[in-house]
Short mmCIF file of all heavy atoms in Angstrom, two decimals:
data_model
loop_
_atom_site.label_atom_id
_atom_site.label_comp_id
_atom_site.label_asym_id
_atom_site.label_seq_id
_atom_site.Cartn_x
_atom_site.Cartn_y
_atom_site.Cartn_z
N MET M 1 -25.97 91.71 58.12
CA MET M 1 -26.28 90.40 57.40
C MET M 1 -27.81 90.54 56.89
O MET M 1 -28.70 90.59 57.86
CB MET M 1 -25.99 89.27 58.15
CG MET M 1 -26.25 88.02 57.45
SD MET M 1 -25.52 86.72 58.48
CE MET M 1 -26.72 85.41 58.20
N LYS M 2 -28.07 90.55 55.75
CA LYS M 2 -29.41 90.54 55.26
C LYS M 2 -29.95 89.12 55.15
O LYS M 2 -29.40 88.31 54.45
CB LYS M 2 -29.41 91.33 53.91
CG LYS M 2 -30.74 91.42 53.24
CD LYS M 2 -31.45 92.64 53.91
CE LYS M 2 -32.74 92.80 53.14
NZ LYS M 2 -33.69 93.77 53.80
N LEU M 3 -31.12 88.84 55.70
CA LEU M 3 -31.64 87.53 55.58
C LEU M 3 -32.65 87.51 54.42
O LEU M 3 -33.21 88.57 54.05
CB LEU M 3 -32.54 87.27 56.84
CG LEU M 3 -31.58 87.10 58.08
CD1 LEU M 3 -32.51 86.95 59.38
CD2 LEU M 3 -30.65 86.03 57.99
N THR M 4 -32.85 86.37 53.86
CA THR M 4 -33.79 86.20 52.76
C THR M 4 -35.19 86.39 53.28
O THR M 4 -35.52 86.34 54.44
CB THR M 4 -33.63 84.87 52.08
OG1 THR M 4 -33.94 83.78 53.10
CG2 THR M 4 -32.25 84.63 51.54
N LYS M 5 -36.17 86.60 52.31
CA LYS M 5 -37.51 86.81 52.71
C LYS M 5 -38.03 85.54 53.47
O LYS M 5 -38.95 85.74 54.46
CB LYS M 5 -38.33 87.04 51.45
CG LYS M 5 -39.68 87.50 51.72
CD LYS M 5 -40.43 87.90 50.41
CE LYS M 5 -40.47 89.24 50.19
NZ LYS M 5 -41.33 89.82 49.15
N GLN M 6 -37.65 84.43 53.06
CA GLN M 6 -38.11 83.10 53.70
C GLN M 6 -37.79 83.19 55.27
O GLN M 6 -38.52 82.83 56.04
CB GLN M 6 -37.42 81.94 53.14
CG GLN M 6 -37.71 80.59 53.83
CD GLN M 6 -36.92 79.51 53.26
OE1 GLN M 6 -36.04 79.69 52.45
NE2 GLN M 6 -37.33 78.29 53.62
N PHE M 7 -36.59 83.59 55.53
CA PHE M 7 -36.17 83.69 57.01
C PHE M 7 -36.74 84.85 57.81
O PHE M 7 -36.85 84.87 58.99
CB PHE M 7 -34.62 83.66 57.08
CG PHE M 7 -34.14 82.30 56.77
CD1 PHE M 7 -33.25 82.26 55.66
CD2 PHE M 7 -34.48 81.15 57.43
CE1 PHE M 7 -32.67 80.91 55.21
CE2 PHE M 7 -33.94 79.93 57.13
CZ PHE M 7 -33.07 79.91 55.97
N GLN M 8 -37.13 85.96 57.05
CA GLN M 8 -37.62 87.20 57.77
C GLN M 8 -39.11 86.86 58.25
O GLN M 8 -39.57 87.40 59.18
CB GLN M 8 -37.72 88.30 56.70
CG GLN M 8 -36.36 88.88 56.47
CD GLN M 8 -36.47 90.13 55.47
OE1 GLN M 8 -37.47 90.17 54.90
NE2 GLN M 8 -35.35 90.70 55.29
N LEU M 9 -39.71 85.88 57.67
CA LEU M 9 -41.06 85.59 58.14
C LEU M 9 -41.07 84.40 59.16
O LEU M 9 -42.13 84.02 59.74
CB LEU M 9 -41.90 85.00 56.82
CG LEU M 9 -42.10 86.17 55.72
CD1 LEU M 9 -42.81 85.39 54.56
CD2 LEU M 9 -42.80 87.35 56.24
N TYR M 10 -39.92 83.97 59.44
CA TYR M 10 -39.87 82.74 60.44
C TYR M 10 -40.16 83.36 61.80
O TYR M 10 -39.75 84.30 62.23
CB TYR M 10 -38.55 82.05 60.43
CG TYR M 10 -38.28 81.08 61.48
CD1 TYR M 10 -38.92 79.85 61.34
CD2 TYR M 10 -37.56 81.39 62.63
CE1 TYR M 10 -38.74 78.94 62.38
CE2 TYR M 10 -37.46 80.46 63.60
CZ TYR M 10 -38.10 79.24 63.54
OH TYR M 10 -37.87 78.28 64.47
N GLU M 11 -40.92 82.52 62.55
CA GLU M 11 -41.24 82.71 63.97
C GLU M 11 -41.19 81.49 64.79
O GLU M 11 -41.77 80.50 64.38
CB GLU M 11 -42.75 83.42 64.14
CG GLU M 11 -42.97 83.91 65.37
CD GLU M 11 -44.32 84.61 65.37
OE1 GLU M 11 -45.37 84.01 64.93
OE2 GLU M 11 -44.42 85.71 65.76
N SER M 12 -40.38 81.46 65.75
CA SER M 12 -40.12 80.35 66.51
C SER M 12 -41.29 79.85 67.31
O SER M 12 -42.21 80.63 67.50
CB SER M 12 -38.97 80.52 67.49
OG SER M 12 -39.37 81.36 68.52
N ASP M 13 -41.32 78.63 67.75
CA ASP M 13 -42.37 78.11 68.56
C ASP M 13 -42.55 78.86 69.82
O ASP M 13 -43.58 79.03 70.34
CB ASP M 13 -42.24 76.60 68.76
CG ASP M 13 -42.30 75.63 67.52
OD1 ASP M 13 -42.96 76.12 66.51
OD2 ASP M 13 -41.67 74.60 67.47
N HIS M 14 -41.41 79.20 70.39
CA HIS M 14 -41.44 79.91 71.62
C HIS M 14 -42.14 81.27 71.52
O HIS M 14 -42.93 81.71 72.33
CB HIS M 14 -40.05 80.02 72.23
CG HIS M 14 -39.38 78.83 72.55
ND1 HIS M 14 -39.99 77.79 73.28
CD2 HIS M 14 -38.25 78.21 72.10
CE1 HIS M 14 -39.07 76.80 73.49
NE2 HIS M 14 -38.10 77.06 72.71
N THR M 15 -41.80 81.89 70.40
CA THR M 15 -42.37 83.32 70.22
C THR M 15 -43.81 83.17 70.01
O THR M 15 -44.65 84.04 70.46
CB THR M 15 -41.62 83.93 68.98
OG1 THR M 15 -40.33 83.93 69.23
CG2 THR M 15 -42.24 85.35 68.80
N LYS M 16 -44.13 82.13 69.24
CA LYS M 16 -45.72 81.98 69.02
C LYS M 16 -46.44 81.72 70.27
O LYS M 16 -47.47 82.23 70.53
CB LYS M 16 -45.88 80.77 68.01
CG LYS M 16 -45.49 81.10 66.65
CD LYS M 16 -45.56 79.83 65.69
CE LYS M 16 -45.16 80.05 64.26
NZ LYS M 16 -45.14 78.85 63.54
N PHE M 17 -45.80 80.89 71.10
CA PHE M 17 -46.36 80.56 72.32
C PHE M 17 -46.66 81.71 73.34
O PHE M 17 -47.75 81.93 73.83
CB PHE M 17 -45.61 79.50 73.12
CG PHE M 17 -46.02 79.25 74.57
CD1 PHE M 17 -47.24 78.40 74.82
CD2 PHE M 17 -45.38 79.81 75.63
CE1 PHE M 17 -47.61 78.17 76.01
CE2 PHE M 17 -45.76 79.46 76.91
CZ PHE M 17 -46.91 78.70 77.17
N ILE M 18 -45.63 82.53 73.33
CA ILE M 18 -45.73 83.81 74.21
C ILE M 18 -46.73 84.70 73.57
O ILE M 18 -47.49 85.32 74.38
CB ILE M 18 -44.23 84.52 74.30
CG1 ILE M 18 -43.30 83.57 75.01
CG2 ILE M 18 -44.40 85.87 74.89
CD1 ILE M 18 -43.72 83.29 76.44
N ARG M 19 -46.85 84.86 72.33
CA ARG M 19 -47.87 85.85 71.64
C ARG M 19 -49.15 85.29 71.94
O ARG M 19 -50.20 86.15 72.23
CB ARG M 19 -47.50 85.95 70.13
CG ARG M 19 -46.42 86.76 69.76
CD ARG M 19 -46.31 86.89 68.18
NE ARG M 19 -44.96 87.29 67.77
CZ ARG M 19 -44.59 88.49 67.60
NH1 ARG M 19 -45.53 89.46 67.78
NH2 ARG M 19 -43.32 88.75 67.18
N GLU M 20 -49.44 83.90 71.86
CA GLU M 20 -50.73 83.46 72.12
C GLU M 20 -51.09 83.58 73.53
O GLU M 20 -52.29 83.94 73.83
CB GLU M 20 -50.83 81.91 71.62
CG GLU M 20 -50.69 81.72 70.23
CD GLU M 20 -50.56 80.27 69.78
OE1 GLU M 20 -50.58 79.34 70.69
OE2 GLU M 20 -50.39 79.95 68.62
N LEU M 21 -50.23 83.31 74.46
CA LEU M 21 -50.42 83.44 75.85
C LEU M 21 -50.80 84.90 76.26
O LEU M 21 -51.75 85.09 77.04
CB LEU M 21 -49.20 82.99 76.60
CG LEU M 21 -49.32 82.95 78.14
CD1 LEU M 21 -50.32 81.89 78.49
CD2 LEU M 21 -47.93 82.63 78.72
N LYS M 22 -50.08 85.85 75.68
CA LYS M 22 -50.39 87.31 76.00
C LYS M 22 -51.76 87.66 75.28
O LYS M 22 -52.43 88.52 75.91
CB LYS M 22 -49.32 88.16 75.47
CG LYS M 22 -48.03 88.18 76.34
CD LYS M 22 -46.94 89.16 75.94
CE LYS M 22 -45.83 89.18 76.90
NZ LYS M 22 -44.85 90.11 76.49
N ALA M 23 -52.03 87.04 74.24
CA ALA M 23 -53.34 87.37 73.61
C ALA M 23 -54.49 86.80 74.47
O ALA M 23 -55.62 87.48 74.60
CB ALA M 23 -53.45 86.83 72.19
N LYS M 24 -54.35 85.68 75.04
CA LYS M 24 -55.31 85.00 75.89
C LYS M 24 -55.50 85.74 77.32
O LYS M 24 -56.53 85.89 77.78
CB LYS M 24 -54.93 83.62 76.12
CG LYS M 24 -55.20 82.71 74.95
CD LYS M 24 -54.81 81.26 75.26
CE LYS M 24 -54.80 80.37 74.02
NZ LYS M 24 -54.36 79.06 74.35
N ASN M 25 -54.32 86.21 77.76
CA ASN M 25 -54.34 86.86 79.07
C ASN M 25 -53.63 88.34 79.05
O ASN M 25 -52.48 88.57 79.26
CB ASN M 25 -53.46 86.13 80.04
CG ASN M 25 -53.97 84.70 80.26
OD1 ASN M 25 -55.13 84.40 80.23
ND2 ASN M 25 -52.98 83.72 80.36
N PRO M 26 -54.47 89.24 78.57
CA PRO M 26 -53.90 90.62 78.33
C PRO M 26 -53.42 91.28 79.64
O PRO M 26 -52.59 92.17 79.69
CB PRO M 26 -55.01 91.35 77.65
CG PRO M 26 -56.14 90.62 77.87
CD PRO M 26 -55.76 89.30 78.08
N GLU M 27 -54.06 90.82 80.81
CA GLU M 27 -53.64 91.44 82.09
C GLU M 27 -52.29 90.90 82.59
O GLU M 27 -51.78 91.35 83.59
CB GLU M 27 -54.79 91.26 83.15
CG GLU M 27 -54.85 89.88 83.62
CD GLU M 27 -55.81 89.01 82.66
OE1 GLU M 27 -56.32 89.49 81.71
OE2 GLU M 27 -55.77 87.74 82.96
N MET M 28 -51.78 89.85 81.95
CA MET M 28 -50.57 89.09 82.48
C MET M 28 -49.33 90.13 82.35
O MET M 28 -48.57 90.10 83.27
CB MET M 28 -50.27 87.93 81.57
CG MET M 28 -49.06 87.23 82.00
SD MET M 28 -48.76 85.62 81.17
CE MET M 28 -48.29 86.32 79.57
N GLU M 29 -49.30 90.94 81.30
CA GLU M 29 -48.08 91.86 81.31
C GLU M 29 -48.16 92.94 82.36
O GLU M 29 -47.06 93.22 82.93
CB GLU M 29 -48.11 92.62 79.90
CG GLU M 29 -46.79 93.36 79.61
CD GLU M 29 -46.66 93.51 78.13
OE1 GLU M 29 -47.50 93.17 77.29
OE2 GLU M 29 -45.71 94.31 77.83
N ALA M 30 -49.35 93.44 82.81
CA ALA M 30 -49.46 94.37 83.91
C ALA M 30 -49.00 93.67 85.18
O ALA M 30 -48.35 94.24 86.05
CB ALA M 30 -50.87 94.86 84.00
N GLY M 31 -49.36 92.44 85.30
CA GLY M 31 -48.86 91.60 86.52
C GLY M 31 -47.41 91.57 86.54
O GLY M 31 -46.85 91.50 87.71
N GLN M 32 -46.78 91.28 85.40
CA GLN M 32 -45.28 91.10 85.38
C GLN M 32 -44.63 92.45 85.67
O GLN M 32 -43.64 92.45 86.44
CB GLN M 32 -44.97 90.76 83.93
CG GLN M 32 -45.24 89.27 83.59
CD GLN M 32 -44.94 88.98 82.12
OE1 GLN M 32 -44.88 89.91 81.22
NE2 GLN M 32 -44.55 87.72 81.88
N ILE M 33 -45.13 93.56 85.30
CA ILE M 33 -44.62 94.81 85.60
C ILE M 33 -44.74 95.11 87.06
O ILE M 33 -43.76 95.62 87.74
CB ILE M 33 -45.27 95.95 84.77
CG1 ILE M 33 -44.88 95.79 83.16
CG2 ILE M 33 -44.88 97.25 85.23
CD1 ILE M 33 -45.60 96.62 82.33
N ALA M 34 -45.88 94.77 87.61
CA ALA M 34 -46.08 95.01 89.08
C ALA M 34 -45.19 94.04 89.87
O ALA M 34 -44.62 94.55 90.94
CB ALA M 34 -47.53 94.70 89.38
N GLY M 35 -44.99 92.84 89.49
CA GLY M 35 -44.08 91.96 90.18
C GLY M 35 -42.64 92.40 90.13
O GLY M 35 -41.85 92.40 91.01
N ARG M 36 -42.22 92.96 88.95
CA ARG M 36 -40.89 93.52 88.86
C ARG M 36 -40.64 94.71 89.66
O ARG M 36 -39.68 94.89 90.43
CB ARG M 36 -40.54 93.92 87.47
CG ARG M 36 -39.25 94.53 87.19
CD ARG M 36 -39.05 95.21 85.91
NE ARG M 36 -37.84 96.06 85.94
CZ ARG M 36 -36.74 95.89 85.46
NH1 ARG M 36 -36.45 94.62 84.93
NH2 ARG M 36 -35.77 96.77 85.57
N ALA M 37 -41.67 95.51 89.75
CA ALA M 37 -41.61 96.77 90.67
C ALA M 37 -41.57 96.35 91.99
O ALA M 37 -40.75 97.02 92.74
CB ALA M 37 -42.76 97.62 90.30
N LEU M 38 -42.18 95.23 92.45
CA LEU M 38 -42.15 94.87 93.85
C LEU M 38 -40.81 94.32 94.23
O LEU M 38 -40.25 94.58 95.40
CB LEU M 38 -43.23 93.71 94.04
CG LEU M 38 -43.37 93.19 95.46
CD1 LEU M 38 -43.85 94.31 96.32
CD2 LEU M 38 -44.44 92.02 95.40
N LEU M 39 -40.16 93.59 93.36
CA LEU M 39 -38.90 92.80 93.79
C LEU M 39 -37.64 93.62 93.31
O LEU M 39 -36.67 93.49 94.08
CB LEU M 39 -38.90 91.46 93.04
CG LEU M 39 -40.00 90.50 93.54
CD1 LEU M 39 -39.94 89.18 92.72
CD2 LEU M 39 -39.85 90.17 95.02
N TRP M 40 -37.64 94.29 92.22
CA TRP M 40 -36.41 94.80 91.67
C TRP M 40 -36.39 96.27 91.63
O TRP M 40 -35.20 96.89 91.74
CB TRP M 40 -36.17 94.24 90.22
CG TRP M 40 -36.01 92.73 90.30
CD1 TRP M 40 -36.92 91.84 89.89
CD2 TRP M 40 -34.92 92.02 90.71
NE1 TRP M 40 -36.39 90.56 90.13
CE2 TRP M 40 -35.22 90.61 90.61
CE3 TRP M 40 -33.63 92.36 91.24
CZ2 TRP M 40 -34.31 89.72 91.01
CZ3 TRP M 40 -32.70 91.38 91.57
CH2 TRP M 40 -33.16 90.03 91.45
N ASP M 41 -37.40 97.00 91.21
CA ASP M 41 -37.32 98.44 91.06
C ASP M 41 -37.40 99.12 92.41
O ASP M 41 -38.39 99.25 92.99
CB ASP M 41 -38.33 98.95 90.16
CG ASP M 41 -38.30 98.41 88.83
OD1 ASP M 41 -37.24 97.91 88.37
OD2 ASP M 41 -39.35 98.28 88.11
N LYS M 42 -36.24 99.59 92.86
CA LYS M 42 -36.18 100.22 94.18
C LYS M 42 -35.97 101.76 94.15
O LYS M 42 -35.30 102.11 93.14
CB LYS M 42 -35.06 99.55 95.10
CG LYS M 42 -35.04 98.07 95.18
CD LYS M 42 -36.20 97.66 96.17
CE LYS M 42 -36.15 96.16 96.32
NZ LYS M 42 -37.29 95.65 96.83
N ALA M 43 -36.35 102.40 95.07
CA ALA M 43 -36.21 103.90 95.00
C ALA M 43 -34.73 104.21 95.37
O ALA M 43 -34.14 103.42 96.13
CB ALA M 43 -37.00 104.55 96.13
N PRO M 44 -34.18 105.11 94.74
CA PRO M 44 -32.73 105.51 95.07
C PRO M 44 -32.63 106.04 96.49
O PRO M 44 -33.39 106.50 97.10
CB PRO M 44 -32.44 106.62 93.97
CG PRO M 44 -33.76 107.12 93.57
CD PRO M 44 -34.74 106.06 93.78
N THR M 45 -31.31 105.49 96.99
CA THR M 45 -31.11 105.90 98.40
C THR M 45 -30.22 107.03 98.48
O THR M 45 -29.43 107.31 97.55
CB THR M 45 -30.38 104.78 99.15
OG1 THR M 45 -29.13 104.51 98.48
CG2 THR M 45 -31.24 103.47 99.19
N SER M 46 -30.34 107.89 99.52
CA SER M 46 -29.71 109.20 99.70
C SER M 46 -28.25 108.81 100.05
O SER M 46 -27.92 107.67 100.65
CB SER M 46 -30.38 110.12 100.61
OG SER M 46 -30.20 109.55 101.94
N LEU M 47 -27.39 109.79 99.85
CA LEU M 47 -25.93 109.60 100.32
C LEU M 47 -25.86 109.45 101.82
O LEU M 47 -25.01 108.60 102.25
CB LEU M 47 -25.16 110.71 99.93
CG LEU M 47 -24.89 110.97 98.42
CD1 LEU M 47 -24.19 112.24 98.16
CD2 LEU M 47 -24.19 109.75 97.76
N ALA M 48 -26.66 110.08 102.58
CA ALA M 48 -26.65 109.84 104.14
C ALA M 48 -27.08 108.39 104.42
O ALA M 48 -26.46 107.78 105.31
CB ALA M 48 -27.60 110.75 104.75
N GLU M 49 -28.04 107.89 103.67
CA GLU M 49 -28.44 106.44 104.01
C GLU M 49 -27.34 105.47 103.61
O GLU M 49 -27.14 104.56 104.28
CB GLU M 49 -29.73 106.18 103.27
CG GLU M 49 -31.00 106.95 103.73
CD GLU M 49 -32.25 106.58 102.90
OE1 GLU M 49 -32.11 105.73 102.01
OE2 GLU M 49 -33.26 107.27 103.24
N GLN M 50 -26.72 105.76 102.49
CA GLN M 50 -25.60 104.94 102.02
C GLN M 50 -24.51 104.97 103.01
O GLN M 50 -23.81 103.92 103.30
CB GLN M 50 -25.07 105.35 100.66
CG GLN M 50 -26.03 105.10 99.54
CD GLN M 50 -25.62 105.51 98.20
OE1 GLN M 50 -24.40 106.02 98.08
NE2 GLN M 50 -26.43 105.54 97.24
N ASP M 51 -24.06 106.14 103.59
CA ASP M 51 -23.05 106.32 104.56
C ASP M 51 -23.46 105.49 105.80
O ASP M 51 -22.49 104.82 106.42
CB ASP M 51 -22.71 107.72 104.87
CG ASP M 51 -22.02 108.48 103.75
OD1 ASP M 51 -21.48 107.78 102.84
OD2 ASP M 51 -22.09 109.69 103.69
N LYS M 52 -24.65 105.65 106.26
CA LYS M 52 -25.13 104.93 107.52
C LYS M 52 -25.01 103.51 107.28
O LYS M 52 -24.67 102.78 108.12
CB LYS M 52 -26.61 105.36 107.68
CG LYS M 52 -27.13 104.78 109.04
CD LYS M 52 -28.63 105.30 109.19
CE LYS M 52 -29.15 104.53 110.37
NZ LYS M 52 -30.54 104.88 110.57
N THR M 53 -25.40 102.96 106.18
CA THR M 53 -25.27 101.46 105.86
C THR M 53 -23.80 101.06 105.88
O THR M 53 -23.51 99.98 106.45
CB THR M 53 -25.91 101.18 104.39
OG1 THR M 53 -27.26 101.64 104.46
CG2 THR M 53 -25.91 99.69 104.20
N LYS M 54 -22.93 101.82 105.31
CA LYS M 54 -21.52 101.39 105.32
C LYS M 54 -21.04 101.50 106.72
O LYS M 54 -20.23 100.45 107.07
CB LYS M 54 -20.71 102.39 104.43
CG LYS M 54 -20.79 102.26 103.05
CD LYS M 54 -19.93 103.20 102.25
CE LYS M 54 -20.08 103.07 100.81
NZ LYS M 54 -19.20 104.09 100.07
N GLU M 55 -21.32 102.42 107.56
CA GLU M 55 -20.83 102.48 108.86
C GLU M 55 -21.37 101.35 109.81
O GLU M 55 -20.77 100.89 110.61
CB GLU M 55 -21.21 103.85 109.53
CG GLU M 55 -20.41 105.00 108.88
CD GLU M 55 -20.85 106.29 109.41
OE1 GLU M 55 -21.68 106.39 110.23
OE2 GLU M 55 -20.39 107.38 108.90
N SER M 56 -22.56 100.94 109.46
CA SER M 56 -23.22 99.94 110.43
C SER M 56 -22.86 98.43 109.95
O SER M 56 -23.24 97.64 110.70
CB SER M 56 -24.75 100.08 110.39
OG SER M 56 -25.24 99.70 109.07
N ARG M 57 -22.08 98.38 108.91
CA ARG M 57 -21.64 96.99 108.46
C ARG M 57 -20.67 96.41 109.39
O ARG M 57 -19.80 97.00 109.68
CB ARG M 57 -21.19 97.01 107.01
CG ARG M 57 -20.74 95.67 106.49
CD ARG M 57 -20.54 95.78 104.96
NE ARG M 57 -21.95 96.00 104.31
CZ ARG M 57 -22.09 96.66 103.25
NH1 ARG M 57 -21.04 97.10 102.57
NH2 ARG M 57 -23.19 96.72 102.68
N VAL M 58 -20.86 95.15 109.75
CA VAL M 58 -19.97 94.53 110.66
C VAL M 58 -18.84 93.72 109.90
O VAL M 58 -19.26 92.97 108.85
CB VAL M 58 -20.69 93.52 111.54
CG1 VAL M 58 -19.72 92.63 112.47
CG2 VAL M 58 -21.74 94.20 112.36
N SER M 59 -17.65 93.85 110.11
CA SER M 59 -16.61 93.25 109.35
C SER M 59 -16.59 91.75 109.67
O SER M 59 -16.92 91.35 110.76
CB SER M 59 -15.22 93.85 109.67
OG SER M 59 -14.85 93.65 111.04
N GLN M 60 -16.22 90.93 108.70
CA GLN M 60 -16.33 89.52 108.79
C GLN M 60 -15.00 88.91 108.53
O GLN M 60 -14.20 89.51 107.67
CB GLN M 60 -17.32 89.09 107.81
CG GLN M 60 -17.66 87.47 107.85
CD GLN M 60 -18.66 87.03 106.92
OE1 GLN M 60 -19.26 87.98 106.21
NE2 GLN M 60 -18.94 85.83 106.92
N GLN M 61 -14.58 87.91 109.26
CA GLN M 61 -13.28 87.34 109.02
C GLN M 61 -13.26 86.54 107.69
O GLN M 61 -14.29 86.26 107.11
CB GLN M 61 -12.94 86.36 110.16
CG GLN M 61 -13.84 85.16 110.36
CD GLN M 61 -13.46 84.37 111.61
OE1 GLN M 61 -12.67 84.73 112.32
NE2 GLN M 61 -14.11 83.23 111.71
N ALA M 62 -12.14 86.29 107.09
CA ALA M 62 -11.91 85.74 105.79
C ALA M 62 -12.62 84.41 105.71
O ALA M 62 -13.34 84.12 104.64
CB ALA M 62 -10.47 85.75 105.47
N TYR M 63 -12.39 83.53 106.63
CA TYR M 63 -13.06 82.20 106.55
C TYR M 63 -13.94 82.18 107.71
O TYR M 63 -13.51 81.91 108.85
CB TYR M 63 -11.91 81.13 106.64
CG TYR M 63 -12.47 79.77 106.44
CD1 TYR M 63 -13.00 79.35 105.19
CD2 TYR M 63 -12.52 78.83 107.41
CE1 TYR M 63 -13.54 78.14 105.03
CE2 TYR M 63 -12.96 77.47 107.23
CZ TYR M 63 -13.48 77.21 105.94
OH TYR M 63 -14.03 75.98 105.73
N VAL M 64 -15.26 82.26 107.52
CA VAL M 64 -16.27 82.32 108.54
C VAL M 64 -16.51 81.03 109.36
O VAL M 64 -16.83 81.13 110.52
CB VAL M 64 -17.56 82.74 107.94
CG1 VAL M 64 -17.46 84.15 107.32
CG2 VAL M 64 -18.12 81.75 106.98
N TYR M 65 -16.16 79.98 108.83
CA TYR M 65 -16.32 78.66 109.62
C TYR M 65 -15.17 78.26 110.52
O TYR M 65 -15.34 77.35 111.25
CB TYR M 65 -16.53 77.55 108.57
CG TYR M 65 -17.68 77.76 107.71
CD1 TYR M 65 -17.67 78.07 106.47
CD2 TYR M 65 -19.07 77.69 108.24
CE1 TYR M 65 -18.70 78.32 105.59
CE2 TYR M 65 -20.12 77.93 107.56
CZ TYR M 65 -19.97 78.22 106.10
OH TYR M 65 -21.07 78.60 105.43
N GLN M 66 -14.04 79.07 110.47
CA GLN M 66 -13.05 78.76 111.37
C GLN M 66 -13.03 79.69 112.62
O GLN M 66 -13.09 80.82 112.41
CB GLN M 66 -11.61 78.91 110.71
CG GLN M 66 -10.45 78.70 111.53
CD GLN M 66 -9.13 78.85 110.69
OE1 GLN M 66 -9.22 79.29 109.58
NE2 GLN M 66 -8.01 78.42 111.33
N ASN M 67 -13.04 79.10 113.82
CA ASN M 67 -13.12 79.84 115.03
C ASN M 67 -11.68 80.30 115.43
O ASN M 67 -10.73 79.48 115.34
CB ASN M 67 -13.66 79.03 116.20
CG ASN M 67 -15.09 78.75 115.92
OD1 ASN M 67 -15.78 79.45 115.19
ND2 ASN M 67 -15.69 77.68 116.38
N LYS M 68 -11.55 81.56 115.85
CA LYS M 68 -10.19 81.99 116.37
C LYS M 68 -10.07 81.51 117.84
O LYS M 68 -11.04 81.73 118.63
CB LYS M 68 -10.13 83.53 116.17
CG LYS M 68 -10.07 84.01 114.72
CD LYS M 68 -9.89 85.41 114.70
CE LYS M 68 -9.66 85.96 113.29
NZ LYS M 68 -9.26 87.28 113.21
N LEU M 69 -8.96 80.95 118.07
CA LEU M 69 -8.73 80.62 119.48
C LEU M 69 -7.78 81.34 120.20
O LEU M 69 -7.05 82.03 119.73
CB LEU M 69 -8.17 79.07 119.48
CG LEU M 69 -9.14 78.02 118.93
CD1 LEU M 69 -8.42 76.70 118.84
CD2 LEU M 69 -10.42 77.87 119.85
#
């Protein structure tokens, strides 16, 4: 779908805000990348470590709040 020239030049308020914020704080993007690496980007685990994790997992009953008598 081809947009008209009028809509191609449109920029939302949110986009403007983010662009201005990044222009004022150029180090912010590096901080975001570092934060993502800290929380989400993990090193791949080996197959031996995956097997060890599976074997050490404790099975849990279906309904954990009910005590077996």
Side-chain angles (χ1 to χ4, degrees):
M1 179 172 146
K2 183 78 173 169
L3 296 175
T4 62
K5 192 177 251 186
Q6 176 187 7
F7 290 116
Q8 288 177 349
L9 299 175
Y10 174 75
E11 189 174 52
S12 71
D13 293 336
H14 298 305
T15 304
K16 289 178 187 176
F17 171 75
I18 295 297
R19 286 185 199 267
E20 291 173 7
L21 186 64
K22 286 186 175 184
K24 289 178 186 175
N25 303 322
E27 70 279 349
M28 183 175 71
E29 193 162 351
Q32 288 176 328
I33 293 170
R36 177 194 162 98
L38 180 68
L39 296 174
W40 297 104
D41 297 338
K42 304 291 183 191
T45 58
S46 68
L47 293 176
E49 290 176 7
Q50 290 177 9
D51 290 339
K52 183 179 175 185
T53 303
K54 281 182 185 178
E55 291 172 3
S56 64
R57 183 167 288 150
V58 176
S59 63
Q60 186 175 1
Q61 61 184 10
Y63 187 68
V64 296
Y65 298 109
Q66 182 178 5
N67 295 331
K68 291 185 176 183
L69 297 175

